[in-house]
Amino acid sequence: MRLWAAVFLVIVFLLIPAASAAEVILSTPQSGYTVLTGEEAAIPITLVSTYDHDITGTLKLASVPVNAGAAGSESSRASVNSRSFSAFTEKRTVMLPVGRSDIPADYHLTITFSYPEDGGRLSTLGGITIHFVTKIDEEKTDTVALAGTDIADPAAGTSSAGSAPQESPKKEDPKESPAAAVQNNQMPQDTSALKNQMAEESNQSRNNDDALLGYILADPLIIPLDNELKGAGFKLGTPDINPVSNRSGKFLLTYSSGTKKVIVQGAVRETRVLFAEESSDVSVHLPDALLENRTYREYGNRSAERGFIRTRTQVNFTSLKKTVDLTFSDAKSRNLHLKAEILNGTVTAVDGENPDDPLASAIPVIGFVCILLISAGIWYLARFRQEERTVPRELIPGAGSKKSSREIAGDILDDAEQDAARGNYPEAYRKTGRALRVFLSYESGSGDELTSGELEPLIASCTGDFEQIRFVLDRCSAVGFAKDTPRAGEFTDMIRSVRAFLEHDPAH
């Protein structure tokens, strides 16, 4: 008898994981589809359900334009469409309509299927691109098959508030006054109305979460990160979405592989991801441009020879720039930090701490050499650089300053234009970037002049064309410090846009 009981328990424990592993997986045979402009696009989507019964839920399609014409046009708008849908117990392939475009354009698509099983689940398929072209020879079809993931619905916990529970009928007390009876009858009605209102607000919040998650996973900044992490064996967990609306907000995505974890967090404004910051205590893939950089490779080899390994990775992604911050540690718990910047796919800066142990005997020699170098620099500046105009520190806004930050920035731009007229474009670009930094630091910051990297949060909160502000700072850094070459007419356009920006209050 005991033997049969043991066998029964083993069978039960074996069946429990199998029953709890049911899921719905979306897939498509290609990651890219090409359609002629003016024609309705439809793509094949396959649903595989491992449940033992049919599933009914909501299918949502998020469409984000990549290069769909002028901003503000009908074709350049992101959209989210939803409809009721069923996943059957057998494999099912359907043609999903995704819209049309009258002009050449590319769209990134993310498809989600939310259903109520197991407390609420969300099946997601992203990374799909639709190419609208005018001629069939412009075909860009990518034949790589895509498969989605099935996770717990991040907003499922709020769905239970969708209906108010029934109050148990209360037996009438014959000693109760008529006024008390009226009051007791009214209270359940008021409670029910309040719960219904809370349920509506909860459902609206859930809709905002779903719409925002669709835009995030379909954004050109997130797609390569998501594909890269999933290709390395990481799975996306329950997203943490903090919406301001169904088109803007903040997000935090957690990817896990065993005990390894990678965090991707950022902000969305009007369906577009402004920035995404990837951070991890494990060694994740770095941008290819940095891995191919000679300075970085030499630093990595030199650090490895001295026993250092990478223990912390943080990469900030924007549409134009990647900022990399790495930490290396050795067995003695000594840490090294390396920072790098990648602008438009080109490494513009790599700065890492020396992996060699400091030698106490060399400190006097190093100090003496530094004194000589400083003295030589002062002599050089006094002898050969007197003709170059700089902005006096006493003019920076502060106690006793007679000029505003707007006026100071305007003076710096005047100097920049004079440098450009003399053909000294590196200096002209440096001063143009500084004019923006001075203005933003004192109008939107705390008063201390900030670097371009430190200004990133302030730029995202500015009104006006914040992408143009970021572009000007990046170009000023590339030409002024990274030996990049000015483009024809670029400096004049930048001066014009910066002066226009100075005429407005960036904080309102």
Side-chain angles (χ1 to χ4, degrees), residues 3 25 30 101 110 130 146 148 214 216 223 230 249 292 316 346 422 432 437 455 469:
L3 177 61
I25 297 297
Q30 298 178 186
S101 176
T110 297
I130 303 295
L146 296 177
I216 291 168
I223 287 176
K230 289 179 178 177
E292 296 169 1
N316 186 285
T346 301
R422 293 193 295 265
T432 302
R437 292 198 304 274
L455 284 174
I469 299 170

Side-chain angles (χ1 to χ4, degrees), residues 255-306:
Y255 293 83
S256 300
S257 176
T259 59
K260 300 178 181 179
K261 184 177 294 185
V262 179
I263 302 296
V264 177
Q265 57 184 327
V268 184
R269 178 183 291 179
E270 287 302 313
T271 75
R272 303 308 298 265
V273 175
L274 298 180
F275 72 92
E277 184 177 270
E278 178 189 40
S279 58
S280 176
D281 291 332
V282 299
S283 182
V284 295
H285 183 73
L286 296 175
D288 292 336
L290 182 62
L291 294 176
E292 296 169 1
N293 180 264
R294 179 178 178 181
T295 302
Y296 173 77
R297 292 202 310 268
E298 291 177 350
Y299 182 88
N301 293 336
R302 185 179 173 193
S303 300
E305 290 174 356
R306 285 152 181 77

